[in-house]
Amino acid sequence: MIFPLAVDRILADRPRAGVGRSVLTVPAPTGTHVVIGGHDPTNPEDGYPIGVYAATARDAGGSATTDGARALAWLRTDRPLRAAAFHPTEPLLALGTGSYDGGYFFEGQLVLLDLASGEHRYLFADDCRREVRFLEWTDANTLRLLLAPPDDWKDPAAWSEGHRVDLTRPDWRALPARSVRHKDVLGPRVPAAQPQPTPPVGGPDEDRPRPGEIRSLTLLPDGDILLTADHALLERWSARGERRWSVPADPELGGGRLAVVADGASAWVETLGPPRRDRGEFLRIGLSAGTELARLATPGPAALVTTSEGPLLVPMPAGYGERAWSRFRHGPHAIFRDIPRPPCTCGCPWDGDEDCDCDCTCPLCTVGGEAEEVWLTVVDTAVPTGDPARLAFPAAERCRRLFPWSWEPGEIHFGGPGAWVGETDLVMATVRYDGHVGGPKQGFVTRRPTGKGSSGIPSWAFPVDRTPTALDIDPSSGTVLVALRSGELIALDSTTGTLRARGHVHVRGVPVIPTALTVTGPGRFLLGTNDGRVLACHVKPT
């Protein structure tokens, strides 16, 4: 489903080499097509993108290129692309994926993509998820595969040898998903080296920095846009898509996570680094020319939050890996995810894994001790913060705990984006911790009252199966817009939580993954994507 929106302009658009690093020029019955597969997802939940394009031109060396082409088909898989082959008579494309898991196993999938309908099916059953290294149609009914051995346990030749399998089916378009089992892929051992991805065609120099994920978008009073990203600490763009200046990512600090305008002439930026999360690094950057005006390092991890008087710092415990995912907008108070961590007094020695052999209750110790209650805490703004260009922690007496972050006793909910509705209610996203890595997740978008005596029990909760990346509210229609790591965009009624619309956002036929979202006016908003673009959008009437 396509979300009912129109992309008015593509801002902050940069040249990019398709969708990844594996480019296969594959003969097709109707001409030459280029299949491009990604090898480096921004986030494990993103998956590995695969796009199919008609080759529209030839470069100086005679290779097919896809510059400006619209994707004919697009999908994401959980392993990198290794091989592709078009069916000789049907509008079908066989895709082979796979990789070494870093331990023992070569795992992958055989994917059948119907180019007429856009649907795709995973054909390998769970008992034979093998890496596919080569594909070839020998006739209309037979697909030849070279599969990696299941693992390299006592088998170093598994990296250069595999199994040849001729898979014959009378009607490939009717082949059910997960119907190819282990007994179907037994074959003789033959040479089968791992394919090496070719460099992108018709794209920029691989030595140049690749655009990274957009982390935040801030609309300035004059209509200009501030953005933070993996590849830039801070950039300023005009509403027409002209870049005024850029502060590139720092080798030590990385890019920017969030920018908060301080005094109308400057903004504080929270950096993504340093690699060790035992401190926080913040830069104050002038808005006229992008010059660095000040730098602040905190002795412990800290996050940047907003108040009506300007930016503030709040403490963030090390080792939780989220560093203030909880971003709340439009409200009378600053909010943060408060995890009380008393100082360690046990004096025990730590190893590199932060474990110790004693039975202490040290907050860094993974042995013994009960988990601390996580609270939703507000910063009282009745007391002026002083000079907004001066970044500081709020006094302890200004911090007021409202209620536990999780409304279900015993559950662990990680933070996510949020926004105030009026003076007393929050719409916020959380992800429940279940011990698993990657998707699907169990998350929620909820509305929680914060008035006097409130328990924080949601008035509604909408379940989601991926991590929410961004959230904002359009007050003109009472619509909550939520972006998910899967690339889906969801619109909810802010009063009832009722679903109004959902779907994926497409640019040139390719679904993008929104990672930042800011409402700019009635029915209008900006989307930042995981590949460094900013889209100016409006909701189409339905």
Side-chain angles (χ1 to χ4, degrees):
M1 176 180 177
I2 298 178
F3 195 89
L5 65 78
V7 177
D8 300 319
R9 294 182 307 282
I10 303 178
L11 311 176
D13 200 14
R14 297 168 172 83
R16 54 185 45 78
V19 299
R21 294 185 177 178
S22 179
V23 180
L24 307 174
T25 302
V26 187
T30 57
T32 300
H33 285 60
V34 177
V35 183
I36 304 179
H39 275 247
D40 297 307
T42 306
N43 184 290
E45 285 188 68
D46 293 354
Y48 294 84
I50 299 175
V52 183
Y53 300 81
T56 57
R58 298 273 169 178
D59 62 16
S63 299
T65 72
T66 63
D67 289 350
R70 182 180 179 87
L72 304 176
W74 185 270
L75 68 154
R76 291 182 181 273
T77 58
D78 61 358
R79 298 282 177 174
L81 175 68
R82 293 298 189 189
F86 285 93
H87 192 278
T89 59
E90 298 284 352
L92 298 174
L93 174 62
L95 298 167
T97 72
S99 62
Y100 186 62
D101 72 348
Y104 295 106
F105 302 106
F106 297 94
E107 296 182 328
Q109 259 291 353
L110 176 61
V111 186
L112 193 64
L113 174 62
D114 190 319
L115 297 170
S117 66
E119 298 179 349
H120 65 277
R121 298 189 298 277
Y122 295 98
L123 298 184
F124 284 168
D126 289 340
D127 66 347
C128 71
R129 298 179 62 180
R130 300 268 291 280
E131 179 186 38
V132 181
R133 295 181 177 173
F134 178 78
L135 290 171
E136 178 187 22
W137 293 94
T138 58
D139 57 51
N141 297 325
T142 303
L143 178 63
R144 175 164 292 174
L145 303 87
L146 285 183
L147 303 177
D151 57 64
D152 65 346
W153 174 248
K154 296 183 178 179
D155 185 10
W159 291 86
S160 58
E161 296 179 356
H163 300 275
R164 186 182 67 214
V165 176
D166 286 340
L167 200 58
T168 302
R169 296 293 185 271
D171 185 357
W172 280 87
R173 296 195 74 175
L175 191 63
R178 313 285 180 180
S179 60
V180 178
R181 305 190 62 83
H182 174 69
K183 61 183 178 62
D184 300 319
V185 293
L186 302 177
R189 184 93 168 211
V190 296
Q194 279 199 322
Q196 296 299 315
T198 59
V201 292
D205 186 347
E206 277 293 291
D207 293 333
R208 292 172 56 188
R210 300 173 66 189
E213 178 173 314
I214 302 294
R215 297 283 181 163
S216 71
L217 294 166
T218 302
L219 186 67
L220 296 176
D222 64 358
D224 279 10
I225 300 161
L226 292 181
L227 69 83
T228 60
D230 291 352
H231 61 278
L233 283 160
L234 191 66
E235 289 185 349
R236 181 169 180 167
W237 290 74
S238 74
R240 297 171 57 89
E242 301 160 335
R243 186 170 63 183
R244 301 196 187 280
W245 48 259
S246 176
V247 181
D250 184 276
E252 295 295 326
L253 305 180
R257 185 185 300 276
L258 179 71
V260 177
V261 176
D263 54 2
S266 65
W268 279 101
V269 177
E270 178 184 338
T271 68
L272 290 170
R276 283 182 55 82
R277 297 183 175 184
D278 54 2
R279 68 184 189 275
E281 296 278 357
F282 304 86
L283 275 66
R284 182 172 162 237
I285 296 174
L287 298 183
S288 61
T291 54
E292 182 180 330
L293 303 177
R295 185 174 293 209
L296 174 67
T298 59
L304 192 61
V305 297
T306 60
T307 72
S308 57
E309 287 86 13
L312 269 179
L313 289 176
V314 294
M316 291 295 293
Y320 274 77
E322 57 179 295
R323 292 289 301 279
W325 286 353
S326 311
R327 307 296 192 190
F328 290 85
R329 312 182 186 195
H330 314 313
H333 304 288
I335 292 181
F336 64 98
R337 190 169 182 266
D338 186 2
I339 308 176
R341 310 304 282 185
C344 175
T345 58
C346 68
C348 61
W350 306 105
D351 61 19
D353 295 324
E354 297 180 339
D355 299 330
C356 69
D357 296 327
C358 66
D359 239 356
C360 68
T361 58
C362 174
L364 295 180
C365 183
T366 60
V367 180
E370 296 183 2
E372 296 279 351
E373 182 77 87
V374 179
W375 287 83
L376 192 149
T377 296
V378 300
V379 179
D380 185 4
T381 54
V383 182
T385 58
D387 180 4
R390 178 179 175 272
L391 195 59
F393 289 95
E397 58 268 20
R398 294 180 56 200
C399 299
R400 177 168 51 92
R401 291 179 178 177
L402 293 181
F403 38 72
W405 191 269
S406 170
W407 60 91
E408 291 288 348
E411 288 188 353
I412 298 175
H413 286 242
F414 290 115
W420 286 86
V421 183
E423 294 288 320
T424 60
D425 281 24
L426 295 172
V427 173
M428 55 186 290
T430 69
V431 175
R432 184 170 64 197
Y433 176 71
D434 58 8
H436 299 290
V437 176
K441 300 283 188 180
Q442 179 58 74
F444 302 92
V445 181
T446 68
R447 178 165 177 160
R448 303 176 75 178
T450 67
K452 186 176 181 180
S454 173
S455 65
I457 300 299
S459 56
W460 55 259
F462 185 88
V464 294
D465 62 356
R466 289 294 190 274
T467 300
T469 58
L471 181 153
D472 204 356
I473 295 179
D474 184 345
S476 67
S477 60
T479 300
V480 180
L481 295 172
V482 186
L484 303 180
R485 179 56 71 177
S486 61
E488 194 172 24
L489 191 63
I490 294 175
L492 304 173
D493 185 294
S494 63
T495 302
T496 64
T498 304
L499 179 68
R500 289 181 171 175
R502 72 187 309 165
H504 291 77
V505 182
H506 291 70
V507 177
R508 301 188 184 110
V510 175
V512 297
I513 295 180
T515 54
L517 189 159
T518 294
V519 172
T520 58
R524 296 186 174 275
F525 55 95
L526 298 172
L527 285 179
T529 71
N530 73 332
D531 60 357
R533 287 182 285 196
V534 178
L535 314 177
C537 308
H538 75 270
V539 178
K540 296 187 294 186
T542 55

